[in-house]
Amino acid sequence: MSRRDFFKVLEKEVARIDEASVTKRKEHLIEGFTQEASPKALINGKTYRIFNSNDYLGLRHHRKLKKAEHQMTELCGTGPGAVRFISGSFKVHRDLEKALANFHGQEDAMVFSSAFATNLAVLFSLIKGQSKDSLLQSEALVISDELNHRSIIDGIRVANLASEQKAIFKHLDPKSLEEILAKNSKKFKRALVVTDGVFSMLGEYQNLKKLRTIINRYDKIYPEGVLLVVDDCHGVGAFGKTGRGTEEVSGAKADVMISTLGKGLGADGGYVAGKQAIIDYLRESAATYIYSNSISPGTAAAALAAVKLIDTETGAKLLRNLENNLAYVKKELLALGFQFAAESIHPIQAILIGDTAKTKALTQKMFERGFMLTNINYPVVPKGKDEIRVQISASHNKADLKAFLKNIKEVGKELEII
Ligand SMILES: Cc1ncc(COP(=O)(O)O)c(C=O)c1O
């Protein structure tokens, strides 16, 4: 026996994954983009219209973000050089944090290398103290929506809680949440309710107002109250009249708002926003903030430009374009005879196909015709619920949308989906 035997085990595991048709590593490599208002990806010299990106407002190609990034990179260099508490904190990081706090109507914010890293550290830190001397011991109950993102699941996992401290409420079901809060009110000091704002598989959103009403009731019953933690990675910069996401759409606020700079905001990185007490504590305890580099100054400048831009007339126009594009595509797809896997008012629209082979054939044929789409198959979704996830952007122009609809109609007919 040697490490060669271990490599064989790894090879077998990869073969098992390939056999189960859930391979992720064979990505398309984008070499660049066409230089136009509605940029297309370049792959092997061919152009592709992207209908599977989270760049909901098209901000990653916006000249203001690019300019801000270039200027800051000239001034500060390409990387942070160290973690934040050593010498990796730049004024632009703080400016961005203040702008994000202001954007969400919160007291403060802090930036991480990604939203995944944010979820890992924020959940761990709010659930558990960092050391045995910490005043914050693990006396929390964590209640999570059953379809929450992997980064939330892992954030709870790393806290290594006893099984009775973890509960799952039924997807988008406030009653189920209430039952869990009621059943456990005498057992725990505090509770953390954690949910995605927008669920990325189907584009559904959590009605935060309904959760908030229940949480406020139980906040008075648990000795240290109940916190609502929302991951709104697909909501911010994509959803709501002013792009403030699920809070804006459902008319209620989170206590702890976690999101990404790498989707609607067109840059990269993650952040958390909340009350000063929470952010001060997290700056002292969140391991992926303390012991890991932050985003580069250039990226922070691009993200800051995005946050500022959303609140201008340009931002409002992009949000309106997105809304109009979404309404048009939805209406036309329905008219063509496609069905949706869920009712969604978000730029994520999941077309229900139901058959794994047809789902894969559709994305493949659309790719050959110059369109990038994502198929989502069993076991990620239940058997018979295979879907094509279409993501609409403000940067799609009428020609893009018309070309997409014409081609998906032809392929849909060829595969007898419509
Ligand atoms: C709901 C949700 N949370 C977290 C993340 C991770 O975001 P990031 O790429 O910034 O780590 C994603 C991205 O896929 C997401 O959809």
Side-chain angles (χ1 to χ4, degrees):
M1 295 292 273
S2 74
R3 56 185 172 273
R4 244 179 277 142
D5 294 288
F6 177 56
F7 300 153
K8 281 202 187 106
V9 175
L10 297 183
E11 281 163 13
K12 274 194 189 150
E13 173 61 2
V14 172
R16 184 193 66 77
I17 291 167
D18 288 349
E19 194 124 312
S21 297
V22 287
T23 306
K24 293 209 168 40
R25 70 190 187 285
K26 295 168 187 163
E27 305 111 350
H28 295 300
L29 300 180
I30 297 172
E31 291 140 12
F33 285 86
T34 57
Q35 302 300 308
E36 55 188 315
S38 173
K40 291 159 196 62
L42 294 164
I43 301 174
N44 284 331
K46 245 185 100 173
T47 60
Y48 291 83
R49 290 179 159 107
I50 299 191
F51 280 82
N52 61 354
S53 144
N54 307 312
D55 183 18
Y56 298 110
L57 295 179
L59 287 182
R60 67 178 155 156
H61 295 290
H62 198 283
R63 65 181 168 77
K64 284 205 169 152
L65 273 74
K66 287 185 183 175
K67 190 171 166 203
E69 182 171 59
H70 290 163
Q71 283 179 343
M72 192 55 70
T73 302
E74 287 298 331
L75 195 64
C76 294
T78 49
V83 298
R84 291 279 297 259
F85 82 100
I86 304 284
S87 64
S89 277
F90 291 76
K91 182 172 179 295
V92 68
H93 286 133
R94 266 320 273 149
D95 290 348
L96 173 59
E97 288 170 344
K98 284 183 198 153
L100 287 166
N102 191 37
F103 183 75
H104 287 291
Q106 291 287 4
E107 290 175 5
D108 203 356
M110 58 197 271
V111 169
F112 291 73
S113 58
S114 71
F116 204 113
T118 313
N119 272 330
L120 287 184
V122 170
L123 293 175
F124 180 93
S125 299
L126 291 179
I127 294 168
K128 255 189 161 158
Q130 289 290 310
S131 70
K132 65 175 174 25
D133 302 325
S134 167
L135 301 179
L136 202 87
Q137 291 305 323
S138 169
E139 289 136 345
L141 168 68
V142 183
I143 316 172
S144 178
D145 184 288
E146 68 180 318
L147 293 190
N148 273 345
H149 189 260
R150 174 67 185 262
S151 52
I152 294 179
I153 297 170
D154 281 8
I156 297 169
R157 262 186 203 150
V158 292
N160 198 20
L161 297 175
S163 60
E164 62 274 15
Q165 285 182 273
K166 294 180 279 188
I168 290 175
F169 70 97
K170 286 196 196 123
H171 182 49
L172 304 180
D173 186 346
K175 260 210 181 117
S176 164
L177 170 66
E178 176 150 32
E179 278 164 22
I180 297 168
L181 280 168
K183 207 168 69 189
N184 288 285
S185 62
K186 301 247 157 33
K187 298 191 203 149
F188 297 96
K189 263 197 177 166
R190 64 184 180 281
L192 241 73
V193 176
V194 194
T195 181
D196 282 15
V198 171
F199 292 81
S200 60
M201 292 297 118
L202 295 167
E204 309 150 302
Y205 74 96
Q206 187 78 261
N207 187 326
L208 300 182
K209 200 171 202 165
K210 289 190 179 162
L211 296 200
R212 181 42 87 199
T213 308
I214 294 167
I215 286 171
N216 283 355
R217 211 175 308 135
Y218 285 86
D219 189 50
K220 299 184 188 81
I221 297 173
Y222 283 72
E224 290 178 1
V226 183
L227 275 185
L228 175 57
V229 182
V230 177
D231 169 342
D232 208 18
C233 281
H234 287 274
V236 175
F239 208 29
K241 274 271 170 295
T242 69
R244 276 155 174 81
T246 308
E247 288 187 329
E248 187 169 15
V249 172
S250 54
K253 286 197 76 60
D255 297 300
V256 179
M257 165 54 60
I258 292 164
S259 190
T260 183
L261 301 167
K263 299 190 198 294
L265 296 178
D268 201 11
Y271 64 93
V272 56
K275 289 246 177 286
Q276 198 63 56
I278 292 177
I279 302 300
D280 283 348
Y281 165 69
L282 288 172
R283 277 194 214 278
E284 299 299 335
S285 61
T288 58
Y289 173 89
I290 299 172
Y291 303 109
S292 176
N293 272 0
S294 191
I295 52 177
S296 68
T299 305
L304 178 58
V307 178
K308 286 182 181 162
L309 186 139
I310 285 193
D311 279 342
T312 64
E313 185 41 45
T314 309
K317 191 163 168 252
L318 289 173
L319 285 157
R320 279 198 303 277
N321 285 354
L322 179 59
E323 206 178 338
N324 292 340
N325 284 352
L326 169 62
Y328 173 67
V329 171
K330 227 174 131 172
K331 183 172 100 239
E332 294 296 319
L333 284 172
L334 280 173
L336 289 175
F338 286 102
Q339 282 179 43
F340 293 112
E343 173 54 35
S344 160
I345 56 167
H346 183 272
I348 292 174
Q349 294 293 318
I351 301 178
L352 180 67
I353 309 291
D355 178 281
T356 306
K358 279 189 184 180
T359 314
K360 289 183 177 170
L362 191 143
T363 41
Q364 180 56 33
K365 284 179 188 289
M366 287 295 281
F367 186 74
E368 286 158 15
R369 290 164 174 247
F371 297 87
M372 292 178 82
L373 283 168
T374 302
N375 50 279
I376 302 190
N377 298 109
Y378 174 80
V380 177
V381 287
K383 259 207 168 90
K385 296 276 181 197
D386 297 75
E387 60 169 84
I388 304 286
R389 187 172 66 174
V390 179
Q391 288 172 282
I392 310 297
S393 171
S395 69
H396 290 136
N397 60 25
K398 259 275 148 43
D400 294 329
L401 302 181
K402 285 199 161 147
F404 168 71
L405 290 163
K406 174 180 176 290
N407 280 278
I408 202 164
K409 175 182 170 187
E410 287 169 9
V411 175
K413 285 209 152 120
E414 190 186 326
L415 294 172
E416 297 178 349
I417 293 166
I418 51 171

